[in-house]
Amino acid sequence: MGKWSFSVPEGYFDDCAALAAQQPEGRLTTQPLFALTPRAYPSDDPDAADQRPWARFTAHVAALNREAPDGVSFKILFLTRHGQGYHNLRKQQLAEDEKARPGDSSPNDAECFDASLTPLGVVQARALAARWLASVAVDGLPLPRTLCTSPLARCLETSAHHLRPVLAAHGRPFRPVVKEALRERWTTHACDRRRPRAWIEANWPMCVLEDGLPAEDELGARPRAETEAENRVRVLGALEDVFEEEEEEEEEEEEEVVAWTFHSLAMRALLGGLGMTPFKVQPATTVALLVRGERVAEVRQHEGKDAR
């Protein structure tokens, strides 16, 4: 049993599963206002200087946290899928190749190993940065305080291209935490393997490697594919880490805003684990959520006994 139970309060964001169903290939793109539903909040202050929609929502989440009982907290999550990687491009090529075997849509070529972004993927990630910057200025979109990324190259690159410019424009450091649990679901394909920890340290010195990140790819050494249920447990464990770490610190408004850069299947696993209807997203797409976390009662009681 995990230490936290999670839910997604209704009434704050548009139905992204329904929106995705209306898109080509059923894949959602980044929505206006990041799908925040325009509405009034009990915490609205008519005298507040900033009446922009995201500023009012962020203030509402701060109010929810101030009024929440012990063991309950709320966080705004920005979930971003990486831009197009070379493995995605290869998959498209296979689908277009008349000689490709039916169903052969998961390339295992050596060139797909821990694939980097294609030039198009870089353009997509930079365009997403521009969208974030515009929303910060126009809508009051909050800057994330906690940044987390998958250790796979395409996510490291996407995070740098789409978040570093946003933070730099506001004098904030870019220091994402590399979390093993945010990796794509392990399918035994080359694109799901990762490089050694030493490679990440040497090539991404601005990143913070989480404690315990394996030196080598232990997940990629498994002989069988990971199930969706196993993937769900893994990504929910990463979410527990965020709530656990933030609970130990003195809360500030910005500590309620978390940004993840990870993968399509891992995102779907997280959505399902939060009780939502999973949906697909296009490359370099950001989805925003409000997540309520509650410390499991049995865990609180046990830790209270330990304290005594």
Side-chain angles (χ1 to χ4, degrees):
M1 179 182 66
K3 293 184 177 182
W4 291 81
S5 63
F6 298 112
S7 59
V8 177
E10 296 182 353
Y12 293 107
F13 290 91
D14 299 339
D15 185 346
C16 286
L19 292 172
Q22 302 170 17
Q23 301 295 318
E25 302 178 346
R27 295 182 181 275
L28 190 74
T29 57
T30 305
Q31 296 297 296
L33 284 177
F34 293 81
L36 181 69
T37 303
R39 52 162 288 188
Y41 307 106
S43 58
D44 280 348
D45 179 359
D47 297 323
D50 196 342
Q51 296 291 337
R52 293 174 297 175
W54 265 99
R56 290 190 301 105
F57 175 62
T58 304
H60 177 62
V61 175
L64 290 175
N65 277 318
R66 287 194 300 270
E67 299 165 4
D70 290 344
V72 173
S73 61
F74 296 82
K75 297 198 183 298
I76 300 167
L77 262 64
F78 290 106
L79 309 176
T80 299
R81 182 191 174 190
H82 61 79
Q84 184 194 61
Y86 279 101
H87 65 304
N88 300 127
L89 180 61
R90 181 60 177 148
K91 182 176 179 178
Q92 292 177 8
Q93 293 170 340
L94 284 172
E96 295 168 0
D97 187 350
E98 294 180 353
K99 297 181 180 179
R101 297 191 305 276
D104 186 11
S105 60
S106 297
N108 211 18
D109 309 53
E111 67 187 270
C112 295
F113 168 73
D114 194 5
S116 297
L117 294 181
T118 65
L120 174 59
V122 172
V123 170
Q124 291 170 336
R126 290 176 176 172
L128 185 59
R131 187 151 194 176
W132 274 60
L133 283 165
S135 191
V136 170
V138 176
D139 308 319
L141 191 78
L143 297 174
R145 174 191 177 276
T146 301
L147 313 179
C148 300
T149 178
S150 159
L152 298 187
R154 54 193 180 270
C155 290
L156 295 167
E157 294 173 9
T158 298
S159 183
H161 285 300
H162 105 269
L163 281 176
R164 183 160 52 183
V166 176
L167 295 173
H170 295 85
R172 304 295 183 88
F174 174 72
R175 295 285 287 168
V177 178
V178 178
K179 297 189 71 65
E180 182 81 342
L182 294 186
R183 289 177 59 172
E184 181 63 297
R185 185 191 309 167
W186 169 237
T187 65
T188 75
H189 293 110
C191 58
D192 298 330
R193 300 183 187 276
R194 75 157 168 87
R195 291 175 172 83
R197 177 186 177 114
W199 181 89
I200 303 174
E201 289 177 320
N203 289 273
W204 294 92
M206 74 291 292
C207 294
V208 178
L209 276 60
E210 68 175 347
D211 293 340
L213 183 74
E216 301 296 334
D217 184 4
E218 296 177 358
L219 181 63
R222 291 177 53 172
R224 66 168 181 85
E226 191 176 27
T227 66
E228 183 175 353
E230 289 170 332
N231 191 196
R232 184 180 302 125
V233 169
R234 178 157 60 81
V235 295
L236 285 175
L239 188 58
E240 284 200 352
D241 289 346
V242 170
F243 274 76
E244 194 81 9
E245 292 164 4
E246 299 293 347
E247 189 184 54
E248 296 171 357
E249 301 177 8
E250 183 178 353
E251 286 281 338
E252 296 179 1
E253 184 172 306
E254 291 175 359
E255 292 177 337
E256 297 158 354
V257 185
V258 179
W260 282 7
T261 306
F262 60 149
H263 308 265
S264 57
L265 293 181
M267 186 184 296
R268 286 170 59 83
L270 176 66
L271 297 174
L274 292 173
M276 300 177 65
T277 301
F279 52 87
K280 299 177 181 179
V281 299
Q282 293 284 2
T285 290
T286 297
V287 174
L289 302 175
L290 177 64
V291 176
R292 179 187 186 274
E294 181 171 2
R295 291 276 283 175
V296 175
E298 291 83 349
V299 174
R300 294 204 301 269
Q301 293 171 1
H302 176 73
E303 291 181 346
K305 291 178 182 178
D306 288 347
R308 294 193 297 270

